[in-house]
């Protein structure tokens, strides 16, 4: 399938590793020039070099914290008129809501709700004017099936989901789509670090432990980031223009439901 994306420009946030990296790689494989961001320069530059070598597209690495105004401004300066925006940032820490103060909530809202909204605000009118835009927000399966220990994530991401459900329907007539990708367990550093304390306590290798746990899941395995990236590239394709305001769960069937 020709996705029609060759020569388009994308900003992919938080993309030196994991799901963001996979989205950047998949878009680059379709011929999209990508701006990728992350806070750790060495890892980001290494990823940029890998994507360049694998695809031959222009890859611009922008070092910065995307949850800050300066980080967002730097990404937008590198690509002021993107055709594609993939919103992503780290997830908030787990814990008990009794321990979370106002500042904890504000940090979670900044990272997982307000940052994507402000980036969308910066790019959506240009997309409308050019009659093409694809915005994909990386959220979480926890938006559909809340995970008690990550209440900060459940709350902040649901706020984003609610907001974009409305906005998506205000911009789709201009061939600008906004959709969310909801990861279940994917084989990334985030998942490794979540299981880290348990693996350490049991003197086990985190990867082995993750795979062992995944064997008892519905699909018997973790998701691979490349599968996530491919879904993102399809949502960004020219063919996906009638997919509007959707929440696509990629969890190997873990969410048990007849209606998705
Ligand atoms: P990951 O493997 O840890 O990668 C996170 C990436 O984001 C890294 O490139 C990191 O680089 C960058 N990043 C983090 N915070 C940033 C910030 N403030 N500004 C710029 N870049 C930032 O994580 P992942 O598994 O891909 O997860 C991506 C998102 O999906 C997270 O929000 C996570 O909570 C969510 N999620 C993941 C899973 C899963 O199974 N993996 C499941 C549900 C939800 P630097 O640290 O150098 O900035």
């Amino acid at each position: 399938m020709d996705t029609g994306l060759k020569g388009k420009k994308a900003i992919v946030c938080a993309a030196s590793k994991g799901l963001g990296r996979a989205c950047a790689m998949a878009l680059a494989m379709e011929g999209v020039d990508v701006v990728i961001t992350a806070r750790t320069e060495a890892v980001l530059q290494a990823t940029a070099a890998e994507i360049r070598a694998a695809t031959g597209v222009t890859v611009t690495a922008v070092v910065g914290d995307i949850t800050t105004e300066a980080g967002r401004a730097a990404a937008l300066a590198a690509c002021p008129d993107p055709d594609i925006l993939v919103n992503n940032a780290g997830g908030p820490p787990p814990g008990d809501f009794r321990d979370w103060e106002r500042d904890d909530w504000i940090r979670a809202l900044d990272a997982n709700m307000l940052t994507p909204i402000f980036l969308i605000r910066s790019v959506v009118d240009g997309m409308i004017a050019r009659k093409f835009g694809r915005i994909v927000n990386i959220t979480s399966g926890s938006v559909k099936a809340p995970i008690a220990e990550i209440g900060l994530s459940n709350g902040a991401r649901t706020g984003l989901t609610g907001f974009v459900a409305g906005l998506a329907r205000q911009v789709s007539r201009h061939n600008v789509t906004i959709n969310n990708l909801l990861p279940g367990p994917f084989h990334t550093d985030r998942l490794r670090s979540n299981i880290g304390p348990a693996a350490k306590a049991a003197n086990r290798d985190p990867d082995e432990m993750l795979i062992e746990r995944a064997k008892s899941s519905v699909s018997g395995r973790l998701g691979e980031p490349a599968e996530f990236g491919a879904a993102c590239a399809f949502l960004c394709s020219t063919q996906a223009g009638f997919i509007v305001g959707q929440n696509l769960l990629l969890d190997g069937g873990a969410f048990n439901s007849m209606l998705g």
Side-chain angles (χ1 to χ4, degrees), residues 26-234:
L27 289 169
M29 284 167 71
E30 296 305 313
V32 177
D33 292 327
V34 292
V35 168
I36 58 173
T37 87
R39 295 163 301 179
T40 313
E41 180 158 20
V43 182
L44 183 66
Q45 293 293 1
T47 296
E50 282 167 25
I51 298 175
R52 247 177 244 127
T55 64
V57 302
T58 301
V59 183
T60 308
V62 176
V63 181
D65 183 339
I66 200 69
T67 70
T68 65
E69 264 186 54
R72 290 190 288 277
L76 290 164
C79 186
D81 53 359
D83 304 296
I84 295 165
L85 168 66
V86 179
N87 279 312
N88 185 30
D96 185 321
F97 90 98
R98 293 168 188 81
D99 300 326
W100 295 329
E101 303 301 338
R102 183 179 161 76
D103 281 353
D104 300 302
W105 278 106
I106 297 295
R107 262 194 301 278
L109 291 169
D110 265 343
N112 299 118
M113 180 181 173
L114 300 176
T115 287
I117 289 172
F118 280 114
L119 283 168
I120 292 170
R121 188 177 76 168
S122 297
V123 304
V124 78
D125 289 330
M127 291 175 170
I128 289 171
R130 293 188 300 278
K131 295 274 176 215
F132 182 89
R134 297 286 183 264
I135 298 173
V136 174
N137 304 304
I138 300 180
T139 64
S140 172
S142 67
V143 170
K144 260 187 127 156
I147 302 171
E149 322 74 89
I150 52 169
L152 288 170
S153 170
N154 299 339
R157 294 188 199 277
T158 302
L160 175 67
T161 304
F163 170 72
V164 299
L167 183 63
R169 287 155 176 94
Q170 289 176 275
V171 299
S172 56
R173 66 177 50 242
H174 305 287
N175 192 24
V176 176
T177 68
I178 309 178
N179 291 288
N180 306 315
L181 283 177
L182 283 54
F186 274 82
H187 208 177
T188 68
D189 279 5
R190 160 103 175 157
L191 212 59
R192 276 183 211 102
S193 67
N194 282 356
I195 205 167
K200 204 172 168 191
N203 198 20
R204 298 275 316 276
D205 175 64
D207 274 315
E208 265 179 35
M209 220 165 147
L210 274 175
I211 289 164
E212 193 178 288
R213 283 194 185 178
K215 279 191 179 146
S216 60
S217 69
V218 172
S219 292
R221 66 178 180 90
L222 298 170
E224 288 305 324
E227 297 174 297
F228 192 91
C232 177
F234 177 69

Side-chain angles (χ1 to χ4, degrees), residues 244-257:
V244 171
Q246 296 302 299
N247 289 282
L248 178 60
L249 187 60
L250 289 92
D251 71 346
F255 183 74
N256 191 16
S257 160

